[in-house]
Amino acid sequence: MIVLVGIALGGAAYWWLHQPLDLGPEPLELAIEPGTTPRGVARDVVAAGVKTDARLLYAWFRVSGQDRAIKAGNYEIPPGTTPISLLQKLARGEEALRALTLVEGWNWRQVRQALAKEEQLKRDSATLTDEALMAQLGRPGVAPEGRFFPDTYTYAKGSSDIALLRRAMHAMDRRLEAAWAQRATDTPLKSADEALILASIVEKETGKASDRGQIAGVFVNRLRVGMLLQTDPTVIYGLGEKFDGNLRKRDLQTDTPWNTYTRPGLPPTPIAMPGKAALLAAVQPEATRALYFVAKGDGSSHFSASLEEHNRAVNRYQRGQQ
């Protein structure tokens, strides 16, 4: 009888361990705080909505020998989860991950706005000024514009937005360092920071990817001969929230630190987040005689080596004159 009872209990335990837990049709969210005991974890699982006996779960944790391996964190329990797969998830620390995409060409204001919309991120940066935030990231005195690499970043629910920004900042550090190491020997750029600034301009000016290298070449040519860069995105950046979508002649004449119509050389900071391709274009521009370019209306640009040719292209593509 003892043997039969043991076999029956073993069979029941095997069946229970391999049966999907009853948690309804939708995934459940489980938050395990640091310091929670295995018994407390079992209770938290039931409190999250899993319809089972917390004592059974706790017994399984103990018998498995992995009860002390359970990690704190935020988890998602999908339908079909068995007691075995649940413990594996908790012991491995397989937290539920969300994703935030920082888009190439975004400026810092847009990054702040994107962070504010992420309900699952802790908004630790919300009350910090730009200066205080950069100091906390270990970059005191550095402007945040352009310092974060545009990419998709995963994060666990409840993690800090500062931690995500730190990862994006280090990613930009690596990308910029790699690009600067590949710079052309005759570049007029004096530092990796200048490469980052130029790359941000190239990013904002490029409508068609195949034009990126030549656009960079135009700006490098202008830097070499001391011409004003005269790029509209820098003027728009300098206007900030005052820009209403319509760039006027008076805007081009309104001096700001970023207005490349009124000030020579590169602006003092990047104007957006450049991607990898823009970083490489800034340090390895396409060889060209062009000093001007104008948008053709289809995403591409027309490049000109002389002002006369450029004016004809402006008349054709911007004013509709043949």
Side-chain angles (χ1 to χ4, degrees):
M1 286 298 295
I2 293 175
V3 172
L4 291 176
V5 169
I7 292 173
L9 289 175
Y14 181 87
W15 177 87
W16 179 78
L17 289 173
H18 290 82
Q19 279 297 302
L21 292 163
D22 184 2
L23 48 90
E26 300 295 328
L28 298 178
E29 292 188 356
L30 169 66
I32 300 176
E33 298 296 329
T36 304
T37 64
R39 189 186 299 274
V41 171
R43 288 196 292 261
D44 287 344
V45 170
V46 173
V50 177
K51 297 177 178 63
T52 191
D53 192 322
R55 293 170 297 181
L56 278 177
L57 277 179
Y58 173 60
W60 161 231
F61 295 163
R62 290 294 304 276
V63 169
S64 71
Q66 296 188 73
D67 54 326
R68 298 296 176 184
I70 295 174
K71 297 174 177 61
N74 294 278
Y75 298 89
E76 187 173 83
I77 308 175
T81 298
T82 66
I84 289 178
S85 61
L86 173 64
L87 180 55
Q88 289 174 340
K89 180 188 292 283
L90 301 181
R92 293 172 182 167
E94 296 174 357
E95 295 187 69
L97 298 178
R98 274 68 178 177
L100 170 64
T101 299
L102 303 181
V103 179
E104 293 178 355
W106 272 6
N107 60 33
W108 174 237
R109 186 172 66 252
Q110 291 171 299
V111 173
R112 284 274 207 181
Q113 291 169 349
L115 291 173
K117 293 177 182 177
E118 292 294 308
E119 297 180 356
Q120 309 298 346
L121 267 179
K122 284 177 61 180
R123 294 292 321 285
D124 292 332
S125 71
T127 58
L128 298 178
T129 64
D130 290 350
E131 294 76 13
L133 174 58
M134 293 305 288
Q136 189 159 333
L137 290 172
R139 301 293 167 83
V142 176
E145 192 65 72
R147 296 289 169 175
F148 305 93
F149 188 72
D151 203 347
T152 297
Y153 297 91
T154 57
Y155 65 90
K157 178 183 176 183
S159 60
S160 171
D161 60 352
I162 294 179
L164 186 148
L165 286 173
R166 182 174 287 109
R167 289 164 53 203
M169 183 182 71
H170 290 159
M172 180 59 83
D173 290 344
R174 293 191 298 270
R175 295 288 190 179
L176 180 57
E177 181 181 1
W180 186 242
Q182 301 175 62
R183 65 189 181 277
T185 56
D186 61 345
T187 180
L189 302 173
K190 299 179 178 64
S191 67
D193 278 358
E194 287 195 354
L196 181 62
I197 294 170
L198 178 56
S200 73
I201 296 173
V202 172
E203 187 70 70
K204 295 299 290 183
E205 282 281 19
T206 302
K208 188 175 182 181
S210 58
D211 287 344
R212 190 179 283 113
Q214 200 166 356
I215 288 174
V218 168
F219 289 129
V220 166
N221 286 346
R222 288 192 166 206
L223 288 172
R224 284 197 180 107
V225 300
M227 284 181 63
L228 292 172
L229 295 185
Q230 294 185 322
T231 167
D232 292 353
T234 63
V235 178
I236 293 169
Y237 183 83
L239 293 173
E241 295 183 353
K242 292 186 294 184
F243 179 63
D244 62 3
N246 185 18
L247 193 63
R248 303 170 178 84
K249 184 177 180 179
R250 68 171 181 267
D251 296 326
L252 303 181
Q253 297 170 340
T254 300
D255 184 50
T256 74
W258 291 272
N259 189 336
T260 53
Y261 282 81
T262 61
R263 300 198 181 195
L266 293 165
T269 71
I271 61 171
M273 295 185 300
K276 178 182 177 182
L279 288 169
L280 289 174
V283 298
Q284 296 179 347
E286 186 174 325
T288 177
R289 293 176 56 248
L291 287 169
Y292 307 90
F293 64 92
V294 63
K296 294 167 64 175
D298 61 357
S300 64
S301 297
H302 179 92
F303 296 87
S304 304
S306 68
L307 181 58
E308 181 182 4
E309 181 188 353
H310 176 64
N311 287 336
R312 288 199 301 268
V314 170
N315 286 334
R316 177 179 181 183
Y317 295 112
Q318 300 293 308
R319 298 170 184 160
Q321 301 174 11
Q322 294 299 318

